[in-house]
């Protein structure tokens, strides 16, 4: 029974094997990127960047057709351009960064859809927006592989600087670190992972595999290493579970993956190690070791994990 | 060769007009200096300029970058993200960045040094806890341990005693005095005038667009304090400081 439900379909259907391989590898890169996106308080910026890549992909499609390479380059260019542009607008005008991001990504998303529908009414728009994880071709799998390899190698290089830039940016600069450089490399990785996930999960939901597992992991991981491991595990499990559910219940596969990750998030929020219910029970238990006195709570309002 | 830090006609600020200008100060090697001034007087701006985080608007700083002296810097606690999931030991190891860089391996010797620094500030038992679990005073001790690990000739601290209780301040001051005795130059931004008078031989008073530098007791005269803009904002503290409530009000 278990075998029939969990293992057999993957052995039986090659399209499912490709989908599992694609989403697993995607998870390995997307989840760690998501953890830092959240810890840098850029979750919404990641969301915006994913929509921002749409016009680039649309234009690349019109120019070069369904070539994975040109679609990727197009997505990378506009995604990065929007990330840098919104930062520039926020720094040099009165606009807040989130507002300028929101404004630009709306323009980008609308123009992307506009371009697509203007020139190619035969395009499968829902596949574009919501992905087709059961139809991953070789090129897409290779793109995902390259994206994840690049992400893991680059993260290994900037990890220490990225952590320091998050925790104590002034200190990082004072010891000669370049926060701007670290941030740029990280932004490239975010866009790369978004674009790599477009074919599988669609432009609207590619960011889901980045944000949701990472957000759930915050309720489990105590240290940065733990959080990264939890996020990756949750992403992998969500991918597999979502694919199986979509197969057995005939639901759309991309949304099934993201919805499962969403269910994990709600479960973690309630019952994770730092979840609402868990912490409430821990407080009710008198034997629980008292926390350190909260002197200076005003200075560190976010002191509680 | 002198390793003094010489500020020559320095003007600092984020953009013109300068917050502080015409700064001509020679900080002798091994000085222990309190940096005082009312809110918004440019203390932090000056500190950031000394650290090289902010370019001077005009003038020069001799003896820092030219001799490759890198300061150990302790930012205000409010600038640090305490909710980040990182352990105490990992935080202290950050102090080794100049030796490690992005990819240098943390050796057992590095960890031993980090643990030793933690032991010196009495926080050895916390090494596997996360920084979110510490009180403000405990966290400040951790940051002092990180500063020790940096082993820098120049140490600059921005309001290290904010939100820290009295007994912790006493402890932290002993580390500062140790650094002083080891011949390091230590600059500390402070709010507590009493502490400056008590424990800091030299004071750099910022306010009113300029700085006054010298022996603490001389710099903190009432005339300088008024010029620096202390009056009004904290006249009550001043009255207590000078024990002359009636004449003070008349000024």
């Amino acid at each position: 029974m278990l075998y029939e439900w969990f293992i057999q379909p993957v052995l039986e259907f090659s399209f499912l094997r490709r989908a599992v391989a694609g989403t697993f590898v995607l998870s390995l890169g997307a989840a760690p990127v998501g953890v830092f996106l959240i810890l840098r308080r850029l979750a919404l910026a990641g969301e915006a960047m994913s929509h921002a890549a749409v016009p680039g992909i649309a234009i690349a499609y019109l120019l070069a057709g369904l070539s994975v390479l040109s679609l990727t380059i197009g997505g990378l260019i506009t995604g990065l351009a929007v990330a840098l542009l919104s930062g520039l607008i926020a720094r040099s005008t009165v606009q807040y960064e989130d507002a300028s991001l929101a404004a630009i990504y709306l323009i980008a998303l609308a123009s992307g859809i506009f371009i697509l529908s203007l020139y190619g009414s035969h395009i499968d728009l829902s596949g574009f927006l919501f992905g087709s994880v059961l139809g991953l071709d070789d090129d897409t799998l290779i793109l995902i592989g390259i994206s994840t390899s690049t992400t893991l190698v680059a993260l290994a290089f900037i990890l220490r600087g990225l952590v320091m830039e998050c925790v104590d940016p002034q200190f990082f600069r004072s010891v000669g670190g370049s926060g701007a450089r670290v941030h740029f490399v990280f932004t490239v990785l975010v866009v790369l992972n978004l674009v790599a996930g477009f074919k599988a999960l669609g432009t609207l939901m590619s960011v889901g595999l980045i944000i949701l597992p990472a957000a759930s992991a915050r309720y489990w991981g105590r240290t940065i290493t733990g959080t990264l491991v939890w996020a990756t595990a949750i992403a992998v499990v969500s991918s597999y579970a979502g694919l199986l559910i979509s197969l057995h219940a005939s639901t759309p596969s991309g949304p099934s993956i993201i919805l499962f990750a969403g269910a994990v998030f709600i479960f973690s929020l309630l019952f994770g190690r730092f979840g609402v219910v868990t912490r409430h029970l821990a407080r009710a238990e008198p034997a629980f070791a008292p926390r350190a006195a909260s002197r200076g709570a005003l200075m560190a309002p976010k002191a509680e994990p | 060769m002198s390793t003094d830090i010489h500020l020559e006609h320095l003007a600092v600020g984020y953009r013109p007009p300068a917050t502080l200008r015409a700064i001509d100060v020679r900080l002798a090697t091994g000085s222990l200096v309190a940096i005082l001034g009312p809110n918004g007087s440019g203390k932090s701006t000056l500190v950031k300029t000394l650290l090289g985080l902010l370019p001077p608007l005009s003038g020069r700083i001799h003896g820092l970058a030219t001799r490759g002296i890198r300061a150990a810097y302790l930012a205000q606690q409010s600038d640090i993200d305490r909710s980040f999931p990182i352990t105490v030991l990992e935080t202290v190891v950050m102090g080794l960045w100049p030796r490690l860089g992005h990819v240098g391996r943390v050796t057992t010797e590095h960890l031993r040094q980090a643990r030793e620094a933690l032991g010196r500030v009495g926080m050895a038992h916390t090494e596997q806890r996360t920084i979110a679990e510490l009180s403000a005073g405990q966290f400040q001790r951790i940051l002092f341990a990180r500063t020790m690990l940096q082993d820098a000739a120049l140490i600059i601290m921005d309001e290290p005693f904010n939100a820290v209780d009295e007994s912790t301040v006493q402890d932290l001051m002993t580390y500062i005095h140790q650094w002083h005795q080891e011949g390091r130059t230590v600059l500390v931004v402070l709010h507590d005038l009493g502490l400056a008078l008590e424990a800091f031989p030299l004071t750099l008073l910022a306010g009113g667009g300029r700085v006054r530098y010298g022996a603490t007791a001389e710099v903190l005269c009432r005339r300088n304090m008024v010029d620096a803009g202390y009056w009004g904002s904290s006249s009550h503290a001043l009255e207590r400081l000078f024990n002359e409530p009636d004449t003070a009000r008349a000024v």
Side-chain angles (χ1 to χ4, degrees), chain A residues 39 41 157 160 163-164 166-168 170-175 218 222-224 292-293 295 299-300 302-303, chain B residues 48 53 70 73 79-81 83-85 87 97 100-104 128 130 132-133 135 146 150 163 165:
Chain A
L39 289 173
R41 291 151 209 222
F157 268 93
R160 194 174 286 155
V163 169
M164 285 170 70
C166 288
V167 179
D168 196 346
Q170 309 247 18
F171 175 80
F172 185 51
R173 287 182 65 198
S174 81
V175 292
R218 282 287 273 154
R222 207 173 65 91
T223 63
I224 182 67
R295 286 190 299 253
M299 278 303 296
K302 301 170 308 214
Chain B
K48 282 179 181 144
L53 302 182
R70 220 173 241 304
Y73 174 54
D79 288 339
I80 300 174
D81 182 2
S83 63
F84 195 93
T87 66
W97 172 273
L100 293 171
H102 273 290
V103 289
Q128 287 309 323
T130 60
E133 295 165 5
S135 71
R146 185 182 72 183
Q150 286 183 270
D165 66 54

Side-chain angles (χ1 to χ4, degrees), chain A residues 221-278:
Chain A
R222 207 173 65 91
T223 63
I224 182 67
T225 316
T227 310
L228 289 170
V229 170
W230 273 105
T232 310
I234 292 170
V236 167
V237 169
S238 302
S239 303
Y240 199 69
L243 284 171
L244 286 183
I245 290 170
S246 88
L247 187 81
H248 292 298
S250 305
T251 52
S253 46
S256 298
I257 293 175
I258 303 306
L259 260 183
F260 191 89
V264 173
F265 173 75
I266 291 168
F267 178 82
S268 308
L269 164 75
L270 294 174
F271 305 109
R273 188 169 10 163
F274 305 115
V276 179
V277 174
T278 318

Side-chain angles (χ1 to χ4, degrees), chain B residues 96-114:
Chain B
L96 293 168
W97 172 273
R99 275 174 270 172
L100 293 171
H102 273 290
V103 289
R105 204 166 67 84
V106 180
T107 63
T108 47
E109 170 60 17
H110 289 141
L111 289 178
R112 192 195 60 74
Q113 290 172 7

Side-chain angles (χ1 to χ4, degrees), chain A residues 87-149:
Chain A
L88 189 71
I89 291 178
R91 271 194 302 278
S92 53
T93 71
V94 295
Q95 199 64 267
Y96 294 124
E97 177 134 23
D98 59 339
S100 67
L101 255 181
I104 291 189
Y105 101 71
L106 282 168
I107 297 170
L109 183 60
S111 54
I113 305 296
F114 188 81
I115 294 168
L116 275 181
S117 52
L118 203 58
Y119 294 98
S121 55
H122 59 286
I123 296 172
D124 171 19
L125 202 58
S126 85
F128 188 78
L129 293 175
F130 304 110
S132 47
V133 67
L134 298 180
L136 298 184
D137 53 18
D138 285 352
D139 285 351
T140 308
L141 286 180
I142 291 170
L143 166 66
I144 291 173
I146 292 173
S147 159
T148 296
S149 310

Side-chain angles (χ1 to χ4, degrees), chain B residues 22-139:
Chain B
I23 306 171
D24 275 292
V25 169
R26 184 178 283 277
L27 300 165
T29 305
S31 307
L32 175 55
V33 183
I35 300 178
L36 296 167
N39 290 331
S41 59
K43 301 184 297 279
S44 293
T45 314
L46 176 61
V47 160
K48 282 179 181 144
T49 310
L50 287 177
L51 288 164
L53 302 182
L54 203 62
L57 290 177
S58 66
R60 297 185 59 186
I61 305 173
H62 301 279
L64 271 175
T66 48
R67 264 185 273 274
I69 298 178
R70 220 173 241 304
Y73 174 54
L74 185 63
Q76 295 187 24
Q77 272 206 23
S78 55
D79 288 339
I80 300 174
D81 182 2
R82 286 269 303 277
S83 63
F84 195 93
I86 184 173
T87 66
V88 165
L89 192 63
E90 287 166 338
T91 310
V92 175
V93 167
M94 281 184 191
L96 293 168
W97 172 273
R99 275 174 270 172
L100 293 171
H102 273 290
V103 289
R105 204 166 67 84
V106 180
T107 63
T108 47
E109 170 60 17
H110 289 141
L111 289 178
R112 192 195 60 74
Q113 290 172 7
R115 292 200 170 98
E116 187 193 311
L118 268 179
R120 281 176 67 189
V121 297
M123 296 297 289
H125 60 289
T126 63
E127 71 168 59
Q128 287 309 323
R129 291 169 69 181
T130 60
I131 56 174
E133 295 165 5
L134 305 176
S135 71
Q138 288 176 316
F139 184 58

